[in-house]
Every structure is written in structure tokens, then in C-alpha cells.
Amino acid sequence: MSPHPGLPEPRSDAMGGEGLSAASPKAARPSEILRRSARYLARHGVESPRETAETLLMHFLGTDRAGLYSRAEGLDSRTARLFGRALCQRCTGVPLQYLTGEQDFMGLRLTVGPGVFVPRPETETLVGTALDLLRGVPNPVVVDVGTGTGAVALAVKHARPDARVLATDLSETAVGLASANAERHGLEIEVLKGDLLSPVPEALRGNVAQIVSNPPYIAPEDYEGLPEEVRAEPYEALVGGTEFHTRLTDLATAWLEPGGWLVVEIGADQGDDVHAILSSRLEDVTILPDLARRDRIALGRRSPGG
């Protein structure tokens, strides 16, 4: 049985060919193990095979890159077995982060796992924009909708300790994981289970400084063309087109305080559509690019006049 619930069972020949079976793992130095493992991953079409092998081996050895390459001894049988299974699972499309159980996001190391969306580097642009808009706003109330691992909510709270940060998600698994990540980092956020803004306390209606969200925005017709490792993540956390942008925009004016902002992540080809959606209810609507100069963030605010 797979040691990671929800992940594919590895084949018994996970280290075959150029893998660890070519020599005893106890006799091989990590550099030699990495060389053969990277070739194995490359043959199976895994991107960045050397870096992937390094990340997995560092994880199972509990060391960093310097410790990995300075290590003289080989692997014990248990470590070799776990490493081999992980290589095989990576070749079947299991995300690397599901295998290590962690993902770094804006200086926070988050626990991740099957059933919850893996935070992406481009979402750091969303957080950066959100924080820029909160400058000069004392003790803001921020709601992260569709929190997943809690990445956005926790990054905001980490940067703005004075903020009251609430995080919502429809997935019970996500709510549990976000709560665990908050406890891991000692960050006090309120994680609530429910659809969009429905679990937010009624007393906050009209008093929210910012609603921020990385909603599922991949179009249904594009799903089958996604890489296998992306399709290993929850369908409902990936696919939604612009439906969620429409629903959030319809709710935003009732929850935002005057001058409060809605900030959402979008697909690279959704700028015009989401601009029109936000403009139907909000002011000062803007589409911003990510570091690759692709449309990535849409924002708009409730009229300062109410």
C-alpha cells in the first residue's frame, strides 16, 4: 500500500535500470545516487530531474544541499526504499510537494498534501499586491477566499500582524490543513468552512478592508491539456473559468468597507473578461501582470463614498 494516502502505489522496479539497484545504496555516495536517479527521472519525462532528485533525497535524509553533497556514507535500506518509491511516484505525475509534504511560500514553509491545491510562486504576486493596497490601513480586516493550505492568509498575517485575517474554504481537508499551518507558524488567523463569504461573521458585513482570492480559474475545456502532475491536484481547486470571479464580485460590495478592495488571481487570457466583471460593480479596476508579463491579478474597489 502507498505510504501516502491518495497517491498511486509505486512499482517495485522504481529504481530499475540506472537506479539504485545498479549498486548497493550503502556503497554509493549521494552524488552517484543522484546521478543515476536524475537519469531515471529524465527517461520518464520529469522536468528538472536533477533538482527533483536532490529535493527528494534531502527530504528523506533530513539535510540541506550542503549536507547532501558533503555526506560520505550511503543510504540505509529504509531510506533507499522510501526514496525509490518517491522517484516512482514522481514519474507517475504525483506533485513533488505531495511527496515531500512541504512547499515554501513567501518565507513560510507550509505543509501540503493530497486533496489540497499546491501554492504556486506566481501567487506571491497576488499577496504582494494585496499588501501594497493595505499600506496605511490600520488594523485591516482581510478575508482570503478559497484558502487551500492557508498560504495567502498566512503570508498576509505574517507581514501584517495587526490585521484580522479570516480564511474560508469549502473543503474540510483544506480547512484542516490551513489550521495546521497557522498553528505551525504561530499565526492567529480564523479558518472557516463554507462557500465563499458565507461563513464570515455577519458583524463584518460592510467592514472588510480587503477580499483576496486565488480562485479556481482554469477553463473546463483546458483541463485535459494540463500536465499530469497538475491534474493530480483537486479538480474543484483548479477548474472554474471566470465563474468564481463573477460570484465574488457580486458579493464584494456588501462586505467591503467604503474604499475596500477585491484582489483576485486570474488566468493569462482572462484579463479582458475579468476586467468587465469587476467593472460591473467596482471602481478603479486594474489588471496587473506577473513577473513573466502575463495578466495575473485583477483588482477593484468599492466606492469610497459608500
Side-chain angles (χ1 to χ4, degrees):
M1 182 176 180
S2 170
H4 300 272
L7 300 186
E9 175 67 19
R11 299 189 311 271
S12 60
D13 67 340
M15 304 302 291
E18 288 279 345
L20 290 184
S21 62
S24 168
K26 290 184 179 180
R29 292 175 62 91
S31 57
E32 178 63 17
I33 294 170
L34 287 171
R35 183 186 67 80
R36 288 191 242 121
S37 300
R39 287 187 179 181
Y40 175 79
L41 292 170
R43 285 203 312 274
H44 288 80
V46 174
E47 291 187 7
S48 305
R50 179 78 181 196
E51 292 81 358
T52 297
E54 286 179 349
T55 298
L56 288 172
L57 195 52
M58 286 188 292
H59 170 68
F60 289 114
L61 289 174
T63 189
D64 57 14
R65 198 167 186 272
L68 180 64
Y69 282 97
S70 63
R71 182 183 173 97
E73 65 269 31
L75 310 184
D76 60 51
S77 58
R78 180 180 181 275
T79 301
R81 183 170 62 254
L82 291 173
F83 180 57
R85 287 178 177 176
L87 288 177
C88 174
Q89 290 174 316
R90 187 68 190 93
C91 291
T92 65
V94 176
L96 178 61
Q97 296 88 344
Y98 284 0
L99 296 173
T100 63
E102 293 186 325
Q103 169 74 338
D104 290 333
F105 185 82
M106 296 199 73
L108 299 172
R109 179 154 292 186
L110 302 175
T111 301
V112 300
V116 180
F117 182 77
V118 176
R120 304 296 201 271
E122 53 265 33
T123 300
E124 295 189 3
T125 302
L126 175 73
V127 176
T129 301
L131 291 172
D132 286 344
L133 293 171
L134 290 173
R135 288 178 182 170
V137 181
N139 308 309
V141 176
V142 179
V143 181
D144 171 26
V145 176
T147 194
T149 62
V152 171
L154 292 169
V156 170
K157 183 65 176 179
H158 187 250
R160 288 292 303 266
D162 64 318
R164 179 182 178 183
V165 180
L166 301 91
T168 74
D169 206 293
L170 197 55
S171 164
E172 188 170 343
T173 302
V175 168
L177 196 55
S179 298
N181 278 320
E183 184 175 355
R184 176 179 183 177
H185 290 284
L187 294 171
E188 187 175 343
I189 64 172
E190 300 166 54
V191 185
L192 308 170
K193 183 180 183 298
D195 185 40
L196 301 183
L197 296 163
S198 63
V200 176
E202 189 67 24
L204 293 180
R205 186 179 290 269
N207 293 298
V208 175
Q210 187 177 98
I211 299 167
V212 61
S213 180
N214 178 18
Y217 56 73
I218 294 170
E221 59 270 21
D222 294 335
Y223 178 75
E224 291 301 327
L226 295 174
E228 188 176 21
E229 66 182 86
V230 177
R231 286 187 281 114
E233 298 181 59
Y235 179 89
E236 61 274 13
L238 296 170
V239 177
T242 58
E243 175 190 353
F244 283 83
H245 302 89
T246 299
R247 293 178 62 204
L248 269 178
T249 301
D250 289 343
L251 294 169
T253 52
W255 288 93
L256 290 172
E257 65 187 12
W261 290 90
L262 172 64
V263 188
V264 292
E265 190 165 322
I266 64 174
D269 59 350
Q270 294 174 340
D272 291 343
D273 289 342
V274 177
H275 189 285
I277 291 168
L278 267 63
S279 295
S280 69
R281 299 255 184 182
L282 302 170
E283 297 184 355
D284 299 326
V285 175
T286 306
I287 305 297
L288 300 175
D290 59 19
L291 295 177
R293 311 307 301 170
R294 299 170 297 193
D295 287 348
R296 186 60 62 195
I297 309 299
L299 55 100
R301 66 173 177 165
R302 179 182 170 186
S303 171

